[in-house]
Amino acid sequence: MLSKAVPGDIILLAEGEWSNITLTIEKGGTQGSPLKIRAKTPGKTIFTGSSSLEIAAPYVSVEGLLFQKGAIQKGAVIRFSSHDGSVRNCAILDYNPANLETKYYWVFFSGDNNRLDRSSFKGKSNMGPLIGNDLANSRHNSVTGCYFKDIPYRKANGREIFRIWGYGKYGAMGQEGSFFTIEGNLFDHADGEGQEIISLKSNHNRVIRNTILSTRGGIVLRGGNDNTVSDNIILGQGATKSYGVRIAGQNHLVEHNYISNCDHGIDILCGDYIKEDLTGSYVPKILPDAPEIRVPTYGQVKALHLIGNVIVGNKKSDLEIGGSYKRQWPTDQMVLLPEDCLITGNRFIRPEGGDSVIGITQDSAAPLNRFVFKLNRYEHNLLLGGAIAFAPSAAGFLRQDLPKGWSETKERAGFKPLTPSDVGPDWVK
């Protein structure tokens, strides 16, 4: 049937279990006339065994498939290998191998302008990120309106829910990047590796209007520059090692996010100095595939705009300036403090008191006295309860006691977390 398809055709897939099927779509549609492949009844076309889907032609739309009671050995369960493809109203549920060391993605983007929408993902327990973006030739892809639920925690690096590779992974600046959009998704107990829920390792991406509930880890600007994290709601609900946003790299915009009841709020990291060995003990990070071979563990934060965020009731700090300073010194050289950042209009609330804003003052002894950093600007921030424990920021904060009758319910009145009814396929629920 697929071999005879032409642009604009609608192909209906019968109900029932399709076992050990590799569905590779190599004929596509055209702009305005896509090839549509749909389950006859959404959720009743069930791919089992070692089944997988690859969209290898442009302008293809797939809807209504369920992947369950199966696993693959490598690659991806769903793979975009062309451009302008769409997967919507699908689900991958507990599609795990017997050996949890077996590594594969559930969804992988390799191509441009592809979209994953209103789909559901539950229970991924094996190695490898749930969703990934290729390092090269993969731009302007998006994941919108999806539901990530009950992804069990396992202490193993590389089990992010999102890992967005692309240009800028190794710190290069410029107009090139991945341009990936993660918008309007719900993460519910989606722990994965427990460190990075969303890991951006490229330039020019957007993480906007998502909700994260009771999930270990946080949103991490790990590598790359010029990324936007905006209008997200992160409710830690006391989850172990949950946090809001961790930031490395340059020219990011982090604005209008609501972060509450996590371990930490926002951490602005130090950068790794790689130009020379400062002490005779430095062990540089060498990656053969990197353009300059030697790469920083974290890029220095410069020109960050941190604007209008609301941070409420975290266990430890709400804002840390210069996190990881001199970590594992001197074998690591995490000594480049954040500079030329604008931190304005943020609201910090600490019902239990304690230090809200903390930070690092530069070590003035040689060899670190060679570094001179541009000042950061702190303006029009409000702290209710708690204390400022980082003197350079103090003038930019108005500190007040917590108002009588304050409650988080009132504080959050203007923010509307996503619910399961807002995301994913209706038939899963």
Side-chain angles (χ1 to χ4, degrees), residues 250 271-278 282 284-285 292 294-296 300 302 333 335-336 339 370-371:
Q250 302 185 38
D272 185 13
Y273 182 72
I274 65 171
K275 292 183 178 180
E276 61 181 293
D277 184 349
L278 296 174
Y282 177 44
K285 185 177 182 181
E292 298 179 2
R294 180 183 292 185
V295 297
Q300 184 185 13
K302 294 182 179 181
Q333 296 186 163
V335 296
L336 300 179
E339 64 175 347
R370 69 169 67 183
F371 296 109

Side-chain angles (χ1 to χ4, degrees), residues 70-297:
I72 60 174
Q73 291 302 305
K74 62 181 180 179
V77 181
I78 297 174
R79 184 182 183 100
F80 294 90
S81 299
S82 186
H83 63 86
D84 292 281
S86 172
V87 171
R88 189 177 190 278
N89 201 30
C90 293
I92 305 176
L93 308 179
D94 303 303
Y95 212 68
N96 296 312
N99 183 356
L100 299 183
E101 296 300 322
T102 302
K103 181 188 297 186
Y104 56 82
Y105 297 88
W106 276 10
V107 181
F108 191 75
F109 290 87
S110 182
D112 298 340
N113 298 298
N114 297 294
R115 182 173 183 179
L116 174 66
D117 181 52
R118 295 290 296 198
S119 294
S120 187
F121 305 92
K122 174 183 171 293
K124 186 180 189 297
S125 61
N126 65 307
M127 289 299 297
L130 197 153
I131 291 178
N133 192 67
D134 205 355
L135 184 57
N137 302 317
S138 191
R139 305 174 186 84
H140 299 287
N141 299 303
S142 65
V143 177
T144 57
C146 291
Y147 191 15
F148 301 90
K149 181 174 174 57
D150 296 338
I151 312 299
Y153 168 65
R154 185 177 176 210
K155 190 177 181 180
N157 188 42
R159 296 188 63 245
E160 306 97 321
I161 308 305
F162 281 83
R163 183 170 68 193
I164 308 305
W165 278 342
Y167 185 87
K169 176 184 178 184
Y170 300 116
M173 304 287 291
Q175 298 304 309
E176 185 58 277
S178 291
F179 303 96
F180 202 104
T181 297
I182 302 169
E183 180 175 5
N185 304 286
L186 174 59
F187 302 80
D188 183 356
H189 292 78
D191 295 332
E193 67 174 30
Q195 294 291 324
E196 301 181 9
I197 302 167
I198 296 173
S199 181
L200 301 183
K201 297 182 177 181
S202 52
N203 297 345
H204 300 292
N205 303 292
R206 298 189 309 153
V207 180
I208 56 178
R209 291 186 287 276
N210 303 282
T211 295
I212 299 175
L213 302 177
S214 195
T215 295
R216 297 175 70 120
I219 299 171
V220 182
L221 308 183
R222 179 64 180 82
N225 310 287
D226 296 281
N227 292 304
T228 296
V229 177
S230 176
D231 296 284
N232 301 284
I233 298 174
I234 303 172
L235 307 179
Q237 299 176 333
T240 301
K241 295 187 177 179
S242 59
Y243 57 89
V245 186
R246 187 153 50 100
I247 303 167
Q250 302 185 38
N251 303 330
H252 300 306
L253 173 62
V254 178
E255 65 173 355
H256 304 149
N257 302 285
Y258 185 96
I259 302 167
S260 79
N261 199 18
C262 296
D263 270 3
H264 299 273
I266 295 175
D267 189 359
I268 305 174
L269 296 173
C270 283
D272 185 13
Y273 182 72
I274 65 171
K275 292 183 178 180
E276 61 181 293
D277 184 349
L278 296 174
T279 65
S281 300
Y282 177 44
V283 181
K285 185 177 182 181
I286 304 296
L287 293 179
D289 62 335
E292 298 179 2
I293 306 298
R294 180 183 292 185
V295 297
T297 303

